Amino acid sequence: MKKICALVLGLLGAMNPLFAQRSNVSATPPMGWNSWNHFAEKVTEADVRAAADALVSSGMRDAGYVYVNIDDTWEGKRDAQGVIHTNDKFPDMKGLADYVHSKGLKLGIYSSPGPSTCAGYEGSYGHEDEDARTYAAWGIDYLKYDQCSFGDIIEQQAGGDQDKAASIQRAAYEKMHQAIMKAGRPMVYSFCQYGLYAVWQWGPDAGANLWRTTGDISDHWDRMSLIGFDQDGLEKFAGPGHWNDPDMLEIGNGGMTRSEYEVHMSLWAMLSAPLLAGNDLSKMTPETKSILMNRDVIAVDQDPLGHQAKRLWVEGPMEIWGKDLSGGRRVIAYFNRGEAAFDFDPRLSILAPLHGVRFKDLWSGNTIVLNEKSRLLVPRHGVLLLRQQ
Ligand code: GLA
């Protein structure tokens, strides 16, 4: 199956170079780390180097986490030629890229199609070609492009006309895509415009490898679960080279319980979402490591078919989601969003072909065989993630 997928992607790539650039850099959802959720505006070069070191020493790189993404607040001023420079927190971006690359990792950066970023730093408006060239010269491998102040420009130019607003926004994102293509260095291109104008419908054609589908996540059960469970229905837009992005991970930041973080990791893996850790990697507990580095769960996310899960059944706060994996196997998630433990009937009527099949419980490692008499106890804010053996 892997070979067939590679062949199909190769053929599409030969016909359309834009498609080739997209699929090659994100055949499976990007994995790595991003500075924003933990460090926010305070991030420095030292923090990014420490994150790169920790990706290697913790084993995360070898589990697939290879992007080291600097979010907002690295930007300095432009010089007389319009070339962007870093600020004092990032004295040597090329040196940092070389360091990150020497560790077998890739470096990501952040900008905005507007004149300023969300944190008020210099954006790329009117300087797209120069910026893409600068990123390529530094050795950047990933760009997150965040709408921010471009929203004001859209409002000025489109007034209340939603179609016009959508086309102005799309043109701005395409412009940077073209600039990246001209700069000649393959980069993952991540749209961040919070799911406006049904971006999943046009993002891939405008050059996106991934597109945020929502506003910002936070390290709280209510926000994480609202965002994650809301992704149902978007599954048809995801696939190799182009992914829905429900935002970065909060695992290890301290605002949720172990069980809630397992739901976070399981749900993102079911959704074929990018796995961008958002915690301080230099200070991880064994629990955080075990959640982020559960190889079975990562494999669900990184399955080469790239099928995003869909909701199969819901009753109040109880949900069953299913995802097809390569090799004809399935993975089923029993989610309990409720405030008390719940004894699930496995609902074999909707999973009929899976009657009597052996599953691996991906969090406990136990084997489970489902039949009509099975009961599946799932804790409050918890998940039972079962993969066909
Ligand atoms: C927006 C984005 C966040 C982060 C910040 C940085 O809020 O959605 O992910 O990049 O901007 O300012």
Side-chain angles (χ1 to χ4, degrees):
M1 181 51 81
K2 244 181 176 167
K3 274 189 190 148
I4 296 174
C5 286
L7 189 70
V8 171
L9 290 177
L11 282 173
L12 286 168
M15 292 184 298
N16 178 350
L18 294 189
F19 189 91
Q21 124 94 14
R22 279 218 309 276
S23 332
N24 290 344
V25 291
S26 63
T28 59
M31 289 178 68
W33 171 84
N34 174 293
S35 60
W36 188 255
N37 284 355
H38 180 80
F39 292 94
E41 302 177 10
K42 294 196 183 74
V43 66
T44 63
E45 172 171 332
D47 298 324
V48 176
R49 283 181 179 247
D53 293 346
L55 282 172
V56 178
S57 62
S58 64
M60 283 179 72
R61 178 196 62 188
D62 297 340
Y65 293 88
V66 293
Y67 286 97
V68 179
N69 292 351
I70 307 167
D71 208 277
D72 204 352
T73 78
W74 63 268
E75 309 88 342
K77 295 288 164 215
R78 294 186 184 280
D79 62 23
Q81 282 71 48
V83 175
I84 184 95
H85 292 272
T86 53
N87 61 39
D88 291 349
K89 298 193 296 149
F90 288 87
D92 179 10
M93 196 63 91
K94 173 86 173 75
L96 179 57
D98 290 346
Y99 183 74
V100 164
H101 291 152
S102 75
K103 305 219 147 220
L105 298 164
K106 293 169 184 287
L107 189 65
I109 212 165
Y110 167 101
S111 190
S112 170
S116 60
T117 66
C118 293
Y121 287 68
E122 186 76 21
S124 294
Y125 186 60
H127 295 280
E128 295 80 3
D129 283 331
E130 287 142 358
D131 285 0
R133 276 199 302 273
T134 302
Y135 304 155
W138 283 338
I140 298 295
D141 306 293
Y142 185 120
L143 173 65
K144 172 175 169 183
Y145 209 44
D146 191 352
Q147 159 141 308
C148 305
S149 62
F150 195 73
D152 301 336
I153 292 178
I154 296 178
E155 215 171 286
Q156 282 157 19
Q157 294 183 359
D161 183 336
Q162 286 303 296
D163 289 344
K164 198 165 170 200
S167 78
I168 294 168
Q169 195 198 55
R170 176 176 174 154
Y173 277 84
E174 274 180 330
K175 193 169 191 182
M176 185 49 104
H177 177 54
Q178 296 301 335
I180 295 170
M181 298 296 290
K182 274 187 263 165
R185 182 178 173 88
M187 287 180 213
V188 172
Y189 187 27
S190 155
F191 287 20
C192 178
Q193 44 79 288
Y194 337 117
L196 293 170
Y197 314 115
V199 59
W200 39 85
Q201 292 177 1
W202 53 268
D205 287 336
N209 295 111
L210 61 157
W211 50 86
R212 278 271 296 275
T213 53
T214 70
D216 289 10
I217 196 167
S218 69
D219 189 19
H220 296 107
W221 165 258
D222 288 350
R223 184 66 185 150
M224 180 281 291
S225 56
L226 180 75
I227 285 179
F229 288 106
D230 235 27
Q231 301 299 301
D232 188 51
L234 296 183
E235 59 277 359
K236 54 183 167 297
F237 302 104
H242 50 100
W243 309 101
N244 290 303
D245 174 9
D247 208 356
M248 304 166 295
L249 300 173
E250 292 282 6
I251 295 160
N253 280 333
M256 290 183 244
T257 64
R258 179 188 187 120
S259 179
E260 290 169 344
Y261 281 140
E262 284 178 2
V263 169
H264 189 5
M265 184 76 184
S266 303
L267 187 50
W268 264 236
M270 289 295 279
L271 294 170
S272 304
L275 296 180
L276 295 170
N279 56 318
D280 181 354
L281 302 181
S282 66
K283 296 193 184 75
M284 282 193 286
T285 61
E287 180 181 302
T288 297
K289 287 185 193 171
S290 71
I291 298 171
L292 285 171
M293 279 190 279
N294 182 318
R295 298 277 185 142
D296 284 319
V297 180
I298 291 173
V300 170
D301 182 75
Q302 296 288 301
D303 186 81
L305 271 189
H307 279 193
Q308 178 174 325
K310 62 192 292 244
R311 186 186 278 133
L312 304 176
W313 176 87
V314 60
E315 195 176 289
M318 313 306 157
E319 307 199 4
I320 306 177
W321 289 59
K323 172 172 180 169
D324 294 323
L325 301 178
S326 51
R329 293 183 305 171
R330 296 205 81 198
V331 54
I332 309 293
Y334 293 86
F335 289 108
N336 176 2
R337 301 174 67 179
E339 298 305 320
F342 184 76
D343 221 1
F344 274 83
D345 165 342
R347 304 278 152 187
L348 288 177
S349 53
I350 52 171
L351 309 173
L354 298 177
H355 180 271
V357 168
R358 289 164 72 83
F359 286 93
K360 181 173 182 184
D361 172 342
L362 299 188
W363 290 109
S364 73
N366 295 337
T367 297
I368 293 187
V369 181
L370 298 182
N371 59 47
E372 284 79 8
K373 295 201 188 85
S374 308
R375 301 303 296 188
L376 305 170
L377 188 67
V378 183
R380 162 189 187 269
H381 296 182
V383 60
L384 186 68
L385 188 62
L386 301 181
R387 193 205 59 221
Q388 206 174 342
Q389 282 187 342

